Amino acid sequence: MVPPHAAPRPGARPGERLLLHFGAVDYRARVWVNGVHVGGHEGGHTPFTFDVTDALVPGAEQVVVVRAEDECDDATQPRGKQDWRAEPHEIWYHRTTGIWQPVWAEVVPALHLRTLHWTPDVPGAAVTVEVELSRKPERDVDVRVVLTLGEEVLADQTCRTRQRDGRWVIAIPAARHQLEQARLLWTPESPTLLDARVELSAGGQPIDAVTSYVGLRSTGIRDGRFLLNGRPRFLRLVLAQNYWPGSHLAAPADALRREVELARELGFNGVRVHQKVEDPRFLAWCDRLGLMVWSELPSAYEYAPRTVERLTREWLEVVARDRSHPCVVTWVPFNESWGVWHAADVSEQRHATAALYHLTKALDGTRPVISNDGWEHTESDIWGLHDYAPTGASIRERYADRDAVERVLTDRPPARRVALLGDPVRRGQPVVLSEIGGLSLRPGAGEPWHGYAAVTTTGELAEQFGQFVDAVLDSPELAGFCWTQLTDTEQETNGLLTAGREPKLPVEVVRRILTRPARSAPAEAIDAARRAARQAD
């Protein structure tokens, strides 16, 4: 129900419109306002908006009806880790249906700023702003962009247009000074965000204005390393399912911020949100608190033309929604060949993973993209491997040097599937163990459990965890890892935290293990020494 005060009376304020926004509805939604069908949307993880002004009833309570459909036996539907069976099995969880992200109403002028996108250019000391208006203006309009850092005005630029879409480069002169640039850059240690205000006007009269923010940072790959702002950055990621007891996909109040804080307190510098497109409020906290994100598309499980259509449509919406977030540093459209089970033998399935790789690069050329994380890479900027070796010693032996890593890539993959399909062009792709570990405390009799290895005591858990992490950090060839996983989730009890977000090990113990400098990233040791020296002073 929308109360009367939230809806303007038609004609009372000429030119205003009421927009009804949905964060996400799983899976197919149809919406009526006061009995009038205002629209529909397919895709369980992405937002949609309807202009409901013409359906309002003046002076009355406004009735909103949402019909959500979710066919559990449709395997071409992107569902991620939601089980298609009645009860969870192996690594899959209970299903979700319906509204699971916020719904809100917004009053806007008829001509308004509909979308904004920001693309930073660190070497060019600039950002590109893309603006979409609600409709094509009838006369010239001015779009003013103001970027500030505290009280310092970094840019103030006005652009004139009569088009619905505009794209302009906003210079940031202060970022040209290499010795001063660092204070403007976004990093996990210093997640600087530039405040942005975008104003729309015509003939000197204001029409609309929105506030936003920009993270000035770059990502890339070179010589087997992941780069952040042009410098090698060792990836210490944790696999996050982001399910909560009781509320499942939907986060309780304040839980999204706390999830980011917990990952940082443990010593991770990034998170791989697994088979879920998380609420954008989570990404906003990652932006503000400094946590890198690998963004991943939930998988379907049956290959068909309809599967490709659905995956592509939803992935386009994911990238459009999230590409302005500085925390998002890597795109992952496929995971472990889910839904493309026969990619090694069926050319259509190989083309599907390569096609989404290239489509993503066409939409956003600023971030690395992984075609199929885990194995069977076609085109990828990072070779993510899933290796649930039983011990840290196995990891140490398998990735000891360049020759050993090459054997894994070409001859002895850690899983039953080959690491690389075909003969991908070598472009200095980093090798990242994007799933390792999976250690659980041994379950009690009759307790639901799925894991990759179990230990009896927390002391053993700390010892084994340290051996795995040390093995990765000691490898001169690995560019990072992703630990499985942050929290227990239903029957998967291999989290560093319980499902209630209580640590299984002392936080300081985990942090000490995780934050030791990596052999492949000598700059980390130098930076750590400099930070220690500054703290001592």
Side-chain angles (χ1 to χ4, degrees):
M1 308 290 283
V2 179
H5 64 265
R9 295 186 179 183
R13 301 177 66 179
E16 287 189 334
R17 311 295 293 178
L18 182 69
L19 305 181
L20 188 58
H21 301 280
F22 292 83
V25 179
D26 194 10
Y27 170 71
R28 185 183 302 106
R30 298 176 68 192
V31 181
W32 292 261
V33 175
N34 299 322
V36 177
H37 183 244
V38 295
H41 178 265
E42 183 177 289
H45 295 81
T46 49
F48 54 96
T49 297
F50 302 126
D51 184 334
V52 301
T53 311
D54 296 337
L56 300 177
V57 176
E61 191 171 55
Q62 314 298 322
V63 179
V64 178
V65 175
V66 180
R67 175 186 172 92
E69 299 174 279
D70 192 1
E71 299 177 34
C72 63
D73 59 351
D74 185 350
T76 68
Q77 173 183 309
R79 64 179 65 251
K81 295 196 71 171
Q82 298 183 54
D83 211 322
W84 56 94
R85 298 183 183 177
E87 293 297 325
H89 77 293
E90 295 185 6
I91 60 170
W92 285 275
Y93 312 141
H94 280 101
R95 298 191 297 270
T96 290
T97 296
I99 302 169
W100 68 277
Q101 287 190 24
V103 180
W104 70 102
E106 179 187 14
V107 177
V108 296
L111 178 63
H112 59 270
L113 296 159
R114 184 175 179 273
T115 62
L116 289 177
H117 291 297
W118 305 98
T119 304
D121 179 5
V122 173
V127 296
T128 297
V129 60
E130 297 170 59
V131 175
E132 180 192 2
L133 304 180
S134 57
R135 58 178 173 80
K136 185 175 181 178
E138 297 175 355
R139 56 174 175 158
D140 288 346
V141 294
D142 292 326
V143 178
R144 183 187 181 195
V145 180
V146 182
L147 302 179
T148 58
L149 182 61
E151 299 298 318
E152 181 183 3
V153 177
L154 299 171
D156 188 341
Q157 185 170 320
T158 299
C159 310
R160 181 161 293 181
T161 184
R162 196 178 290 188
Q163 302 302 314
R164 182 175 181 177
D165 302 287
R167 179 184 173 96
W168 300 284
V169 176
I170 310 298
I172 306 175
R176 297 173 187 157
H177 193 319
Q178 291 298 303
L179 299 181
E180 292 288 335
Q181 189 186 68
R183 69 184 178 89
L184 303 177
L185 297 181
W186 186 95
T187 67
E189 298 77 23
S190 181
T192 301
L193 297 174
L194 312 183
D195 291 316
R197 180 175 175 83
V198 180
E199 301 172 353
L200 180 66
S201 63
Q205 297 300 310
I207 299 175
D208 193 19
V210 297
T211 57
S212 181
Y213 61 80
V214 181
L216 192 61
R217 65 102 187 90
S218 66
T219 60
I221 61 165
R222 185 175 62 235
D223 300 331
R225 301 293 176 257
F226 172 81
L227 304 180
L228 183 69
N229 298 327
R231 299 186 64 190
R233 170 68 58 134
F234 194 83
L235 296 168
R236 292 171 167 84
L237 311 178
V238 64
L239 194 73
Q241 309 288 357
N242 284 22
Y243 283 65
W244 284 268
S247 61
H248 205 45
L249 283 182
D254 301 323
L256 293 171
R257 174 174 183 164
R258 185 59 185 146
E259 202 83 342
V260 178
E261 291 173 339
L262 286 167
R264 284 181 47 82
E265 289 168 8
L266 289 169
F268 294 102
N269 61 15
V271 61
R272 179 179 164 219
V273 180
H274 186 42
Q275 289 296 294
K276 179 186 181 187
V277 180
E278 188 50 276
D279 190 312
R281 295 174 297 174
F282 175 82
L283 298 181
W285 284 118
C286 291
D287 289 338
R288 295 184 182 280
L289 300 179
L291 191 68
M292 295 183 289
V293 175
W294 280 21
S295 178
E296 186 171 310
L297 177 65
S299 295
Y301 293 103
E302 176 185 325
Y303 188 83
R306 189 181 188 191
T307 308
V308 177
E309 178 185 346
R310 285 175 155 181
L311 290 170
T312 302
R313 182 170 58 244
E314 196 157 1
W315 187 236
L316 287 170
E317 294 177 348
V318 172
V319 175
R321 193 196 76 171
D322 295 341
R323 66 186 174 96
S324 295
H325 285 283
C327 67
V328 177
V329 298
T330 302
W331 299 114
V332 186
F334 283 93
N335 169 72
E336 290 186 347
S337 302
W338 289 4
V340 285
W341 307 107
H342 303 289
D345 301 310
V346 179
S347 62
E348 289 86 350
Q349 296 184 19
R350 291 195 300 276
H351 285 306
T353 64
L356 276 189
Y357 166 87
H358 288 295
L359 178 62
T360 309
K361 298 294 282 190
L363 296 168
D364 175 18
T366 70
R367 292 174 172 91
V369 178
I370 298 175
S371 62
N372 181 32
D373 194 56
W375 46 69
E376 295 186 335
H377 291 265
T378 48
E379 294 285 344
S380 287
D381 299 321
I382 296 173
W383 287 332
L385 303 177
H386 297 179
D387 191 338
Y388 286 107
T391 65
S394 301
I395 294 290
R396 186 178 296 276
E397 177 182 1
R398 197 169 288 162
Y399 304 95
D401 52 36
R402 184 169 298 182
D403 290 340
V405 173
E406 186 65 20
R407 282 194 296 273
V408 170
L409 291 174
T410 59
D411 184 44
R412 300 177 188 174
R416 294 188 297 269
R417 297 171 182 261
V418 299
L420 309 177
L421 288 179
D423 187 19
V425 176
R426 303 294 181 108
R427 296 179 281 104
Q429 289 95 329
V431 175
V432 174
L433 299 188
S434 48
E435 285 189 29
I436 63 166
L439 296 176
S440 300
L441 289 172
R442 195 170 303 281
E447 181 181 347
W449 177 82
H450 181 90
Y452 298 94
V455 296
T456 304
T457 67
T458 56
E460 290 179 276
L461 180 62
E463 180 181 359
Q464 292 288 327
F465 176 63
Q467 289 177 6
F468 273 103
V469 175
D470 282 346
V472 178
L473 295 176
D474 287 343
S475 169
E477 299 301 318
L478 295 175
F481 67 93
C482 180
W483 183 261
T484 303
Q485 59 187 347
L486 182 61
T487 70
D488 289 350
T489 307
E490 299 200 10
Q491 72 275 18
E492 275 196 285
T493 58
N494 49 22
L496 291 170
L497 309 172
T498 67
R501 274 54 180 177
E502 294 297 325
K504 296 180 182 178
L505 298 173
V507 170
E508 60 273 15
V509 171
V510 176
R511 185 174 184 84
R512 183 174 65 250
I513 292 170
L514 283 172
T515 55
R516 180 173 69 81
R519 182 179 175 188
S520 65
E524 286 191 334
I526 297 172
D527 290 343
R530 287 173 177 170
R531 285 195 296 271
R534 285 197 297 268
Q535 292 170 357
D537 292 341

